[in-house]
Amino acid sequence: MNKSRTVLMIVVGLGLCSCALKPTDRIQKPSGEGSPQARQEILIHSPKEALGQPPSSKSYVAHPKPMVMSAAVRHLMKDASYLGRQGDLDAAVTTIERALRIQSRNAGLWHQLASFRLQQDQPGPAENLAKKSNILAGGDLELKRKNWTLISIARRRLGNEEGAYRAKRKADQY
């Protein structure tokens, strides 16, 4: 018992250390080949470059960075997914909330929590959590599409057909 607690503390500590890693500035851009899942990452240094124009030497705009996920958070996400598939949604939510205490700006974690809340028949909180995920998603268009789809389902369950339709149209834009 004491040994497992020590190992857990080491894993969490390593996870927190990896949060300090600084990835390069990236956005995702459709590659134009096949499905929306086929994307390539490109480096962007200015708004002109994002539009296909050469950047000026003095312009630099920071873009949302992809989330670097620690080993502890990856492990907790896998555990939560497993628990969710087994139908233990309360334990899955608790596990995701633990991961969020480690990495609160991880849009994927917020989406997974929203999904579990929807499965628990809590459409109001699910919608709010998916909106938070969208705010943190940056250039992750696939995650934004999933969030808007979840929002559409949540609004439909709340009886908001017009809002559900608007959210579904928004999802289709991605």
Side-chain angles (χ1 to χ4, degrees):
M1 172 101 173
N2 202 8
K3 186 176 182 181
S4 63
R5 190 176 280 179
T6 304
V7 170
L8 179 62
M9 290 180 69
I10 290 170
V11 169
V12 170
L14 290 173
L16 292 174
C17 290
S18 69
C19 290
L21 295 177
K22 195 168 186 183
T24 60
D25 294 334
R26 299 171 191 260
I27 66 167
Q28 290 186 346
K29 181 178 177 182
S31 66
E33 294 179 19
S35 68
Q37 288 82 14
R39 302 193 191 283
Q40 61 182 353
E41 289 186 343
I42 58 171
L43 295 176
I44 297 295
H45 298 287
S46 74
K48 287 183 178 181
E49 189 176 0
L51 297 172
Q53 301 170 355
S56 66
S57 60
K58 293 185 180 182
S59 67
Y60 178 81
V61 176
H63 293 277
K65 297 176 171 109
M67 183 60 60
V68 175
M69 198 178 312
S70 70
V73 170
R74 272 195 310 276
H75 181 72
L76 289 168
M77 276 186 86
K78 282 199 316 191
D79 285 352
S81 292
Y82 174 77
L83 291 165
R85 285 191 307 275
Q86 298 302 312
D88 193 353
L89 295 175
D90 291 336
V93 165
T94 301
T95 303
I96 286 298
E97 288 173 342
R98 283 179 58 205
L100 281 166
R101 283 194 291 276
I102 297 169
Q103 204 167 40
S104 64
R105 298 193 54 82
N106 185 318
L109 292 173
W110 289 105
H111 173 80
Q112 195 169 15
L113 181 57
S115 177
F116 289 143
R117 290 297 185 202
L118 192 61
Q119 291 175 53
Q120 290 178 318
D121 199 29
Q122 297 179 19
E127 178 180 354
N128 291 333
L129 292 165
K131 286 178 181 178
K132 179 161 183 123
S133 176
N134 267 344
I135 290 168
L136 298 171
D140 190 343
L141 303 180
E142 180 64 18
L143 181 57
K144 287 182 178 182
R145 183 190 62 74
K146 289 178 182 179
N147 283 324
W148 281 110
T149 300
L150 191 147
I151 290 168
S152 175
I153 295 167
R155 288 178 178 174
R156 186 163 283 113
R157 288 188 186 173
L158 289 167
N160 181 356
E161 289 297 323
E162 177 61 31
Y165 174 75
R166 284 195 316 268
K168 179 66 175 134
R169 287 190 54 205
K170 193 93 165 164
D172 292 342
Q173 291 176 355
Y174 297 103

